[in-house]
Amino acid sequence: MAMAITKASPKSAHKALPLSANLSNLLPTGTVFAFQAIIPSFSNNGRCEMAHKYMTLGAIILCSLACFLSSFTDSFIGSDGKLYYGIATIRGLWVFNSELDDDFGLDDPKEAEEILRKYRLTPIDFVHAACALTLFLVMAFSGYDVQRCFFPRPGPNGNALITNLPLAAGILASGLFMLFPTKRRGFGYADKPDRDDIKQNNKIDNSK
């Protein structure tokens, strides 16, 4: 009886793999790739001793935080052609890779400050952050190595949950992303900012 339960786990894990791959499209690409690269080694391919469990759990926690925080990051290409990255705050975008006197290729410093305010924190950012965190945890625990490490004998109910949870999470997150779209292009995401982001913002300001 125990042997039958043990064999059920890899079967359900392989069914969940395509669903987990679809979930990763909604997450920061760099974080997902890094997690998928290190988890086989950290988990000893699912044959976990206590040290492997601690390392695997640590990787899950750190990557989860990275997915959560990435939802608050943004990027744009200034009029000087340089790519700028920053994190959204209640006052605007706090740019990481700029000098103190950097005005992003604009002549007026006040104009640059006004444009950065357009990237300020919004409630939608928290919705996307919660979705990204949930999706990553579902994807992480749907992986065969993680399942074998933490849930070696899930039983029939556990197998049903492991198989169907990624699908349900993907549908729910996709619906939320459609209802609450975001224009942020933060760390690790595949889409790139437009070259004339600041110029387009200027045109909008001048037309008002």
Side-chain angles (χ1 to χ4, degrees):
M1 187 68 178
M3 291 296 293
I5 293 176
T6 303
K7 290 181 180 179
S9 178
K11 192 173 182 180
S12 65
H14 289 310
K15 287 182 180 179
L17 284 178
L19 301 176
S20 300
N22 292 332
L23 292 184
S24 65
N25 294 331
L26 303 174
L27 296 170
T29 308
T31 303
V32 173
F33 283 169
F35 178 78
Q36 292 175 341
I38 65 176
I39 211 62
S41 176
F42 279 24
S43 66
N44 195 28
N45 293 315
R47 297 184 291 272
C48 287
E49 301 294 340
M50 187 58 66
H52 296 115
K53 288 185 177 181
Y54 282 129
M55 289 190 295
T56 301
L57 185 61
I60 292 174
I61 293 174
L62 290 177
C63 291
S64 298
L65 289 175
C67 288
F68 182 81
L69 295 176
S70 292
S71 300
F72 301 105
T73 61
D74 210 337
S75 60
F76 64 89
I77 298 179
S79 297
D80 54 0
K82 183 179 178 181
L83 178 62
Y84 294 93
Y85 282 101
I87 186 167
T89 68
I90 58 175
R91 295 184 178 180
L93 190 69
W94 179 46
V95 179
F96 297 144
N97 58 328
S98 66
E99 303 295 336
L100 294 176
D101 57 347
D102 196 343
D103 296 327
F104 318 118
L106 297 172
D107 296 329
D108 188 0
K110 293 183 178 179
E111 191 176 1
E113 293 178 3
E114 182 64 27
I115 290 173
L116 290 181
R117 291 194 189 99
K118 296 179 180 294
Y119 294 90
R120 63 182 176 271
L121 205 60
T122 64
I124 293 179
D125 296 326
F126 291 94
V127 175
H128 279 255
C131 287
L133 176 62
T134 304
L135 283 177
F136 179 81
L137 290 175
V138 170
M139 186 207 71
F141 283 100
S142 296
Y144 172 63
D145 291 336
V146 176
Q147 286 182 29
R148 191 178 178 188
C149 183
F150 291 102
F151 313 107
R153 297 180 179 85
N157 293 328
N159 287 332
L161 183 64
I162 289 170
T163 302
N164 295 295
L165 187 59
L167 177 61
I171 293 174
L172 179 61
S174 298
L176 288 174
F177 285 163
M178 290 179 63
L179 289 174
F180 305 103
T182 182
K183 295 182 179 180
R184 295 207 185 278
R185 290 153 295 194
F187 296 153
Y189 287 92
D191 51 343
K192 299 294 184 182
D194 297 328
R195 184 175 182 82
D196 296 326
D197 276 355
I198 287 187
K199 291 181 179 179
Q200 291 172 1
N201 284 327
N202 288 342
K203 291 178 180 178
I204 294 174
D205 291 338
N206 294 333
S207 64
K208 292 182 179 180

